[in-house]
Amino acid sequence: MTIRILPAIGDPDAARAVSSLLHQLPDAEPAPTVGDSAALLHALAGAAAQGAGAAAASAPPAAGQPSAVEALPEVVLVHERIGPTPALELIREVALRFPAVGVVLITTDAGPALFSAAMDAGARGIVGMPLGYDELAARVQAAAQWSAGVRVHLGGSPEAAPGPAGTLVTVTGAKGGVGTTVTAVQLALAARAAGRSVALVDLDLQSGDVASYLDVQFRRSVVDLAGIEDISVRVLQDAVHDHHTGLGLLLAPEEGERGEEVDDRAARQIIGALRSRYEVVLVDCGSQMQSANAAAVELADLALLVTTPDVVAVRAAKRQVRLWDRLQIRKAEDTTTVVNRLTRNTEIQPPLVAKATGTQVARTHVPAAFKELQPCVDAGRMQDLDNRSTVKQALCALAGELGLVDSPSVRQGRGSHRARPTLTGRKRKAITPGAAPGSGGVPGQASGSASGAGPGPGTRFGVRRGSAAAAGPGPFDPSGPYEEG
């Protein structure tokens, strides 16, 4: 979201310094500096009139709805030496006439008395001279967020809000080794491939492996943000690693004992800062609950719980859900369970997982195909996983089911795997014109089997799957699980 800034500065030296810093702010659109109070009020009135005229030309606003606010800048910077109207009186007039504009006062005296007077006049913040990048960025961002919130209530577009609006998704493992990090990484890559800005956060603070899975060596970590009271844009940029895939990575510390420095307050502040900068924030919470990842699960728009279809993992998932409920972190019905490494012969099927945990189970299940993952896991380059991989295709379908991917080519549910390669990696055979209805697209089935002539040599899977397809739905039917060859 672009933040429009209008500086009102009478001192030429201060105007040059402010202009130089404003052009360094990300997503900032500074307007030319005005030199006096009259020019500032004239510019604001002109913008309001222009916005009102545009709104009237398109669609008359409802009674009492100030549609002109959309054309006004989000932030106005007022220098203490502005004239002829004194700075505090000018702030008061701007606040009364243009209530959707956040005003920030620039002054050499940032003492308590002036701060109180500026707040009484209607300012949203004070920046001390000489100017610093971090302080200016923080005050501008805070004033812009406040302005966006006011505009929503005044009838402006909610899409204009630059504040925390990103979707927060947490991925938690029922226990260690169930595929939590692989799931988080592939969901983040899928969302990024769909054109969204994505941050991937590793809050498995003692044993996080996101850096290992993406072949990253970076000296900054989430711990570097823990002791900062006001996370500015520059500080966030220094801590987040820009991966070549387009992901923003906030990694776990190399020294696991330092994870204790990240408490729930720090986690909330860090996540809030990330949500204001990225459309999707994916958090790998690991399998051990601490105050930091518990706060992330509590704040999450979507909380995923990854489990495998075995007794030990399902029991661990049930314990995790009960823990969240006891600590009032999240209710079971607000949690989505993802079943990983599912095969056709698994005794514990997704309906049983849903019944045991009391959670919703995602319609998309991830097949057991470690042979596809092993080369990328060993090389530490999960971003290089083949697009034909059944695991990657399943997780892309899961991203579509969760709303992280808007592409119409990604169909929700497990039926989306009908048009994909088989779980065994075999190529699909051509179907003869005499194939029985319902037998089309059966993986690993020879054309002779499809036409009723019997399976060809070496088609052991074709015999069993072909007969099942002739009698009803194929092995990829939503009512039946996957099978690994």
Side-chain angles (χ1 to χ4, degrees):
M1 169 61 193
T2 301
I3 302 174
R4 295 166 295 179
I5 306 171
L6 177 58
I9 304 172
D11 183 5
D13 294 333
R16 284 192 294 269
V18 171
S19 177
S20 176
L21 287 177
L22 290 180
H23 281 89
Q24 298 179 34
L25 298 181
D27 300 330
E29 186 179 291
T33 303
V34 295
D36 55 59
S37 58
L40 172 62
L41 295 176
H42 178 75
L44 293 176
Q50 181 181 2
S58 58
Q65 182 180 12
S67 59
V69 298
E70 290 303 314
L72 291 169
E74 284 78 18
V75 180
V76 168
L77 301 178
V78 175
H79 191 258
E80 62 179 353
R81 295 183 183 177
I82 196 72
T85 306
L88 293 181
E89 294 185 16
L90 178 61
I91 291 173
R92 184 175 291 106
E93 185 170 358
V94 171
L96 290 174
R97 292 179 56 183
F98 310 100
V101 175
V103 184
V104 177
L105 175 63
I106 301 177
T107 177
T108 55
D109 178 20
L114 181 60
F115 181 85
S116 177
M119 294 301 105
D120 291 340
R124 301 308 309 171
I126 290 182
V127 179
M129 297 281 287
L131 292 174
Y133 176 90
D134 290 341
E135 184 181 9
L136 180 63
R139 298 296 170 263
V140 167
Q141 184 74 15
Q145 291 181 8
W146 175 87
S147 173
V150 171
R151 294 176 190 219
V152 171
H153 292 289
L154 293 179
S157 172
E159 299 177 356
T167 302
L168 175 61
V169 182
T170 58
V171 184
T172 308
K175 67 180 195 63
V178 296
T180 307
T181 303
V182 171
T183 301
V185 168
Q186 289 299 326
L187 288 178
L189 291 172
R192 183 69 191 102
R196 297 192 172 189
S197 58
V198 181
L200 178 58
V201 186
D202 196 347
L203 278 186
D204 188 0
L205 297 173
Q206 291 185 351
S207 55
D209 285 325
V210 168
S212 299
Y213 276 81
L214 291 174
D215 191 23
V216 174
Q217 293 181 351
F218 191 57
R219 62 186 182 89
R220 298 287 186 184
S221 73
V222 65
V223 175
D224 295 307
L225 299 177
I228 301 177
E229 294 294 334
D230 190 1
I231 301 177
S232 65
V233 176
R234 174 66 63 86
V235 170
L236 192 64
Q237 288 177 335
D238 289 341
V240 175
H241 173 71
D242 293 326
H243 197 252
H244 66 83
T245 58
L247 298 178
L249 303 180
L250 187 56
L251 305 172
E254 285 288 340
E255 305 83 7
E257 66 275 10
R258 295 195 63 195
E260 298 178 357
E261 301 176 26
V262 184
D263 55 9
D264 57 339
R265 182 204 60 81
R268 293 175 187 275
Q269 191 171 8
I270 292 168
I271 290 173
L274 289 170
R275 295 181 74 179
S276 68
R277 296 284 299 158
Y278 295 90
E279 296 177 82
V280 178
V281 179
L282 263 152
V283 181
D284 180 0
C285 294
S287 58
Q288 299 295 323
M289 276 293 100
Q290 301 167 338
S291 59
N293 47 26
V297 173
E298 182 181 1
L299 295 172
D301 299 304
L302 294 168
L304 304 183
L305 182 61
V306 181
T307 185
T308 50
D310 57 83
V311 173
V312 176
V314 173
R315 285 178 176 173
K318 186 176 181 179
R319 286 198 305 269
Q320 191 76 274
V321 170
R322 288 181 173 178
L323 174 65
W324 290 351
D325 186 64
R326 287 196 306 272
L327 298 180
Q328 298 183 353
I329 297 174
R330 200 171 194 89
K331 295 183 180 297
E333 55 268 24
D334 296 331
T335 304
T336 301
T337 299
V338 177
V339 181
N340 189 23
R341 300 174 192 158
L342 187 66
T343 65
R344 184 182 187 90
N345 298 325
T346 303
E347 293 185 5
I348 299 178
Q349 293 297 315
L352 182 57
V353 175
K355 183 177 180 180
T357 60
T359 62
Q360 307 176 40
V361 174
R363 295 191 302 274
T364 303
H365 314 308
V366 185
F370 186 72
K371 290 182 180 179
E372 300 175 357
L373 295 174
Q374 187 171 7
C376 295
V377 171
D378 292 343
R381 297 183 61 84
M382 284 302 300
Q383 67 271 20
D384 294 340
L385 185 62
D386 196 332
N387 290 332
R388 295 172 295 180
S389 164
T390 56
V391 174
K392 183 170 185 177
Q393 290 175 347
L395 289 172
C396 286
L398 177 63
E401 180 180 337
L402 298 175
L404 304 180
V405 176
D406 296 330
S407 174
S409 61
V410 178
R411 295 163 50 189
Q412 296 183 3
R414 294 176 48 189
S416 60
H417 292 265
R418 291 182 181 273
R420 298 172 181 163
T422 71
L423 292 173
T424 60
R426 295 180 173 85
K427 295 182 179 180
R428 300 183 182 276
K429 303 293 184 179
I431 304 301
T432 61
S439 62
V442 178
Q445 178 178 345
S447 58
S449 174
S451 61
T459 56
R460 178 172 60 87
F461 289 99
V463 174
R464 177 164 54 83
R465 294 184 179 180
S467 59
F476 292 103
D477 185 77
S479 62
Y482 297 108
E483 178 177 5
E484 180 186 13

